[in-house]
Amino acid sequence: MALSRFHRVPMNDGNTIPILGLGTYGPKTLWSTYHRPELVRSGLEKTLKDLQLDYIDLYIIHWPVSIKPSKENIPMDENKKIRIESVDLCETWEVMEKCKDAGLVKSIGVSNFNRRLLEMILNKPGLKYKPVCNQVECHPYLNQSKLLEFCKANNIILVAYSALGSHREPHWVDQNSPVLLEDPVLRGIAKKHNRTTAQVVLRYQIQRGVVVLAKSFNEKRIRENFQVFDFQLTPEDMETINGLNRNVRYVILDMFKESANYPFNDEY
């Protein structure tokens, strides 16, 4: 089930990325407790040691909100609030660039950045490397059309997570949110093409030029999700799916709202 070279897309640094990730491919991330410039490389080196690798293909800033360094991923204070701190992400990015120059990573990108935060990096004095990608929640109920347009204009690939909706993990996902794959419009388009609803949702993103991460633990569904390169949605299908946008987020992470870099306060 290997992707051919025709199923990869070029990034702005000359490297390529598969247009469809099935859980077997995904970037490694710099977690929020390692944002301080003096900690970035040590965080990466820890990841390399854990994976027993000399380098990583793609390394991204996982989340724009910085957390005070701790042995815990999400350290809390005595009031059960996350220990958020202010870190200049431009300085974080400078060390990411140095890690690329050192050969520890091939490509560097970001995740959960809105337009304002992307512009902060892009307008940084002395910028050496643009982010190759911005990994965000993206699906027909949150199609991110404005952010996608901005990313394309700046040669940044938009990577969609929760592309099929989301596993309904109660700690992260609103249990009252609609189930994407049960949408009657999507089901109707799937029936017309004799495909699964998931295949239609994945094909929609591919035709928009969005790289898709389709997470599944079911072997049958993984094989089905891969079968999206032998059919085409019509322009009318695409327009209909675009019309399903509701700005519904499955992944909210309200616990980070106190940070000035919380990305979901802005329009996009």
Side-chain angles (χ1 to χ4, degrees):
M1 292 207 322
L3 288 171
S4 77
R5 63 187 177 89
F6 301 109
H7 297 151
R8 302 180 71 90
V9 292
M11 298 186 290
N12 61 39
D13 64 353
N15 295 317
T16 63
I17 185 173
I19 196 154
L20 177 63
L22 300 174
T24 56
Y25 177 90
K28 299 305 175 184
T29 65
L30 178 73
W31 180 239
S32 296
T33 52
Y34 289 92
H35 281 184
R36 293 182 185 179
E38 66 271 21
L39 298 179
V40 172
R41 179 157 178 161
S42 63
L44 170 57
E45 289 175 340
K46 179 180 183 302
T47 298
L48 289 171
K49 183 178 180 181
D50 291 343
L51 295 173
Q52 297 183 331
L53 294 173
D54 296 323
Y55 70 90
I56 291 172
D57 286 328
L58 176 58
Y59 196 58
I60 65 176
I61 298 177
H62 183 94
W63 183 246
V65 176
S66 304
I67 304 175
K68 289 186 178 180
S70 171
K71 292 181 179 179
E72 302 172 342
N73 279 339
I74 305 180
M76 302 281 189
D77 63 19
E78 59 277 7
N79 298 315
K80 301 298 181 181
K81 289 190 175 183
I82 297 175
R83 296 182 180 273
I84 290 172
E85 66 174 1
S86 178
V87 174
D88 185 345
L89 292 178
C90 288
E91 294 182 358
T92 306
W93 187 254
E94 287 178 2
V95 185
M96 295 277 285
E97 292 177 322
K98 291 177 182 177
C99 290
K100 176 176 169 63
D101 284 338
L104 300 177
V105 297
K106 285 190 174 182
S107 301
I108 51 177
V110 297
S111 180
N112 297 302
F113 275 46
N114 59 20
R115 174 175 178 161
R116 171 177 57 87
L117 294 170
L118 285 173
E119 286 180 330
M120 179 181 70
I121 299 296
L122 293 173
N123 295 330
K124 184 186 80 66
L127 180 70
K128 189 169 185 180
Y129 303 115
K130 285 183 179 182
V132 296
C133 68
N134 184 24
Q135 181 176 306
V136 297
E137 180 179 349
C138 184
H139 44 75
Y141 287 168
L142 182 72
N143 66 24
Q144 300 277 18
S145 59
K146 290 183 178 180
L147 185 60
L148 175 59
E149 182 180 346
F150 177 81
C151 286
K152 284 183 175 180
N154 287 278
N155 200 16
I156 297 171
I157 292 173
L158 192 142
V159 180
Y161 69 76
S162 295
L164 300 176
S166 179
H167 293 289
R168 305 185 77 79
E169 167 57 51
H171 291 96
W172 310 109
V173 177
D174 179 1
Q175 298 302 292
N176 295 318
S177 56
V179 180
L180 179 69
L181 297 184
E182 293 179 1
D183 186 275
V185 174
L186 293 173
R187 282 183 163 183
I189 293 173
K191 184 177 181 181
K192 181 178 73 172
H193 289 277
N194 195 28
R195 297 285 172 164
T196 68
T197 309
Q199 287 171 335
V200 166
V201 170
L202 297 176
R203 184 68 206 180
Y204 165 72
Q205 298 287 24
I206 289 170
Q207 287 184 211
R208 301 169 79 213
V210 174
V211 167
V212 194
L213 301 179
K215 189 174 182 181
S216 178
F217 299 102
N218 181 290
E219 182 178 348
K220 179 176 180 290
R221 291 198 192 104
I222 290 172
R223 291 184 179 277
E224 287 177 348
N225 291 346
F226 192 81
Q227 295 165 1
V228 294
F229 298 105
D230 59 350
F231 78 104
Q232 191 92 0
L233 296 174
T234 67
E236 293 77 19
D237 293 333
M238 295 295 290
E239 185 177 351
T240 298
I241 298 173
N242 279 333
L244 296 177
N245 185 58
R246 309 180 189 181
N247 293 320
V248 168
R249 290 189 182 275
Y250 289 100
V251 182
I252 301 295
L253 301 177
D254 285 345
M255 56 190 171
F256 293 119
K257 272 189 172 179
E258 293 183 12
S259 169
N261 281 345
Y262 183 73
F264 306 152
N265 289 332
D266 298 0
E267 181 187 2
Y268 70 99

